[in-house]
Amino acid sequence: MPKLTFPKNFVWGVAASSYQIEGAWNEDGKGLSIWDTFTHTPGKIANNENGDLAVDHYHRWKDDIHLMAELGLKAYRFSTSWPRILPEGTGTVNQKGIAFYDRLVDELLRRSIEPYVCLYHWDLPQVIQDKGGWPNRDTAYYFTDYARVVAERLSDRVTYWITHNEPFVTAGAGYFSGEHAPGIKDPVAALKAGHHLLLSHGLASEAIRAVARQPVKIGIVLNLNPVHPATDSKKDREAAKRFDTIQNRLFLEPLLLGTSPIQEIKLLKTIVGTVIKPGDLEKIHTLDLLGVNYYTRNVVRDDPKLPIIAASDVHPEGNEYSGMWEIYPEGIYELLMRIWKDYFAGPNPPFPPSLSGKGGAGGIGQKPEIMVTENGVPVPDGLDFDGRVRDERRIRYLKNHIAQVHRAIADGVPVKGYFHWSLMDNFEWARGYAPRFGLVYVDYKTFKRTIKDSGRWFADVVRNNGFEF
């Protein structure tokens, strides 16, 4: 069996988010988030579950970091809770709230685990949503103030900063389909939200660099999927192109090229001028790190019934599926190669001179780093008679996907790291607690943690900087 060895200093980590793991929803001065409101509304979440307790990470954080150290992890991407730090969305800082992240960062560093701080993983303060939420342009400026507060406190110890996790989901699931908080179904609101999320990335990047107490790297995390037509018909090929524009290009191109493909979508042309203001794209076009979250591909067909995108997913027969998606390892290779060839390897416009300033990535034309910031699978698992979790399907999934990352590196894509989603089982948004993604099994009644076989396997990968395949 050949051994796949990764580059020296390759970053092996795990990722998690505040609402999904912390619990303590109303403790120590924390304000209400849109997910508190949404999950407390009957019928919104499977089994009417919520993240009030989640997996109690707020009280068990030190034990959880001990687990990370036991697995030999090199990095941990976590999100800070905006309403825990600023209960009113703006203004007075909740010192108990931000002190939690102080302690978290200190313990991670003590254990030689690099903290990657994500400022937004979907838990918008409810008071900001009451003012219009992400469709309101002002929210980009509220977010910038919040980013400044966190950077002022943590940037003496934190080098890597992520502004947003998956803005496509924030806008699409929150304001288009309504599946996620705040549960709004309005295509125009979703478009506005998507742009304002990107604008807030640019504004917050400036704010972080202005107050950073050491050189920092600032990035964003996008959920990106290869998009394939269901058939070779012209209608399905055009549907795939539309879907790719919304899913991928609408976020990649403002960030990496300083342009927007929004004009290509006929129904959106008339409102572009009211959403994208002069100078916005220049603000957005700033990036030190591109985080790629990959779970599956999209196979789509023409579907005029769906607004704007006029395309819907199909699920090919004969392929393997998880509890949520098709399992398609080749997609992560296809995606990384596409990003590299379309946005990095070609003569794309250079990054603006601002990146050569304080805390920036370097001179004009400097390319951002690329990392896989989430990849994982929800498959059934549980404690066997002897207390062990034999999650062989997850191990197979990880082998096949990480091998495709290695293949992309071998073919010229300089991927700097891989973060598994997630460290431990947790609250999976609208699906509640049923899907289990963790390397660590959580008993939701007792909160006892048990490292799964996949966790042991991943620890070996980290230790050996590779694996036999």
Side-chain angles (χ1 to χ4, degrees):
M1 296 174 66
K3 181 179 179 183
L4 303 183
T5 300
F6 283 76
K8 186 180 179 181
N9 299 321
F10 192 79
V11 179
W12 297 100
V14 293
S17 86
S18 53
Y19 186 80
Q20 291 177 278
I21 66 170
E22 284 180 3
W25 74 282
N26 60 354
E27 291 186 36
D28 290 342
K30 177 185 170 293
L32 202 65
S33 81
I34 56 173
W35 276 95
D36 296 319
T37 302
F38 194 69
T39 60
H40 294 167
T41 304
K44 297 295 186 183
I45 309 296
N47 303 314
N48 287 319
E49 293 170 337
N50 59 55
D52 289 3
L53 299 177
V55 295
D56 199 34
H57 175 71
Y58 188 76
H59 300 110
R60 300 167 189 263
W61 59 274
K62 189 171 283 189
D63 291 339
D64 291 337
I65 294 175
H66 176 79
L67 282 172
M68 296 180 215
E70 186 177 343
L71 295 174
L73 299 173
K74 306 301 182 185
Y76 177 45
R77 181 174 77 88
F78 65 93
S79 73
T80 51
S81 168
W82 186 348
R84 193 177 294 286
I85 293 170
L86 293 172
E88 297 301 319
T90 60
T92 304
V93 175
N94 175 24
Q95 293 301 327
K96 288 185 177 179
I98 202 164
F100 170 70
Y101 300 108
D102 254 335
R103 296 192 296 272
L104 195 68
V105 167
D106 285 346
E107 184 66 11
L108 287 167
L109 292 173
R110 191 180 76 81
R111 296 282 194 160
S112 300
I113 300 170
E114 185 82 30
Y116 283 64
V117 172
C118 178
L119 292 164
Y120 189 77
H121 201 131
W122 309 350
D123 47 351
L124 185 72
Q126 183 61 48
V127 291
I128 301 296
Q129 178 56 39
D130 293 342
K131 296 177 180 179
W134 286 110
N136 175 12
R137 189 179 174 93
D138 290 344
T139 301
Y141 295 90
Y142 300 143
F143 177 78
T144 302
D145 292 341
Y146 156 64
R148 185 181 296 110
V149 166
V150 183
E152 284 176 339
R153 184 67 168 256
L154 301 181
S155 64
D156 59 329
R157 288 153 289 158
V158 174
T159 300
Y160 292 93
W161 294 83
I162 307 294
T163 53
H164 287 281
N165 178 80
E166 302 183 348
F168 172 81
V169 177
T170 301
Y175 295 94
F176 182 80
S177 71
E179 179 186 357
H180 284 187
I184 291 169
K185 299 179 181 181
D186 180 345
V188 175
L191 170 70
K192 291 179 178 178
H195 177 66
H196 296 151
L197 285 155
L198 289 173
L199 176 61
S200 74
H201 160 79
L203 295 171
S205 295
E206 286 184 349
I208 294 168
R209 289 190 183 102
V211 301
R213 295 157 70 182
Q214 62 170 332
V216 295
K217 292 188 176 182
I218 305 168
I220 196 168
V221 165
L222 304 180
N223 59 304
L224 303 167
N225 299 350
V227 182
H228 299 161
T231 72
D232 196 40
S233 71
K234 182 179 179 181
K235 282 189 174 182
D236 284 355
R237 283 187 280 111
E238 290 176 346
K241 184 177 179 181
R242 290 192 300 272
F243 201 101
D244 178 67
T245 298
I246 295 288
Q247 167 80 42
N248 299 318
R249 294 176 57 215
L250 198 61
F251 295 90
L252 283 168
E253 292 183 11
L255 290 159
L256 295 174
L257 303 181
T259 62
S260 176
I262 204 169
Q263 296 271 14
E264 298 175 20
I265 304 169
K266 293 178 183 178
L267 293 177
L268 301 183
K269 282 184 179 181
T270 57
I271 57 173
V272 169
T274 65
V275 177
I276 302 178
K277 305 292 186 185
D280 283 2
L281 292 173
E282 289 80 3
K283 289 283 187 188
I284 294 166
H285 185 213
T286 177
L287 202 66
D288 299 331
L289 168 66
L290 176 64
V292 176
N293 290 359
Y294 174 78
Y295 290 98
T296 190
R297 64 171 173 170
N298 290 106
V299 180
V300 303
R301 64 178 178 86
D302 181 65
D303 185 356
K305 291 180 291 185
L306 209 65
I308 298 177
I309 198 167
S312 59
D313 275 307
V314 300
H315 306 293
E317 292 294 330
N319 295 351
E320 185 182 5
Y321 288 83
S322 71
M324 293 171 68
W325 305 290
E326 179 189 7
I327 295 175
Y328 188 71
E330 297 85 354
I332 196 168
Y333 171 83
E334 179 184 339
L335 182 63
L336 291 168
M337 294 302 298
R338 182 260 179 104
I339 292 169
W340 181 251
K341 289 178 179 178
D342 286 2
Y343 301 106
F344 286 76
N348 54 310
F351 276 79
S354 62
L355 279 185
S356 62
K358 180 181 178 183
I364 299 173
Q366 180 78 30
K367 307 291 187 183
E369 294 181 1
I370 302 174
M371 287 188 171
V372 176
T373 39
E374 284 184 28
N375 179 233
V377 66
V379 290
D381 61 33
L383 295 171
D384 292 334
F385 72 98
D386 55 357
R388 182 173 157 189
V389 181
R390 296 171 172 84
D391 55 336
E392 187 276 335
R393 281 188 72 191
R394 180 170 291 105
I395 294 173
R396 186 168 74 248
Y397 176 97
L398 289 172
K399 283 183 178 178
N400 290 336
H401 283 76
I402 296 173
Q404 292 291 335
V405 175
H406 187 275
R407 180 185 169 200
I409 294 171
D411 286 346
V413 185
V415 182
K416 300 293 186 183
Y418 175 94
F419 289 69
H420 179 266
W421 182 272
S422 182
L423 171 66
M424 54 192 166
D425 300 331
N426 55 55
F427 179 78
E428 183 52 35
W429 308 110
R431 296 174 182 265
Y433 291 97
R436 290 181 177 268
F437 278 87
L439 298 173
V440 175
Y441 180 87
V442 178
D443 183 321
Y444 291 128
K445 293 182 179 178
T446 65
F447 297 125
K448 181 181 178 182
R449 277 80 156 135
T450 302
I451 297 175
K452 302 177 187 180
D453 281 8
S454 61
R456 303 290 182 194
W457 180 86
F458 193 67
D460 284 341
V461 173
V462 177
R463 186 179 308 111
N464 296 310
N465 198 33
F467 61 98
E468 291 186 346
F469 184 73

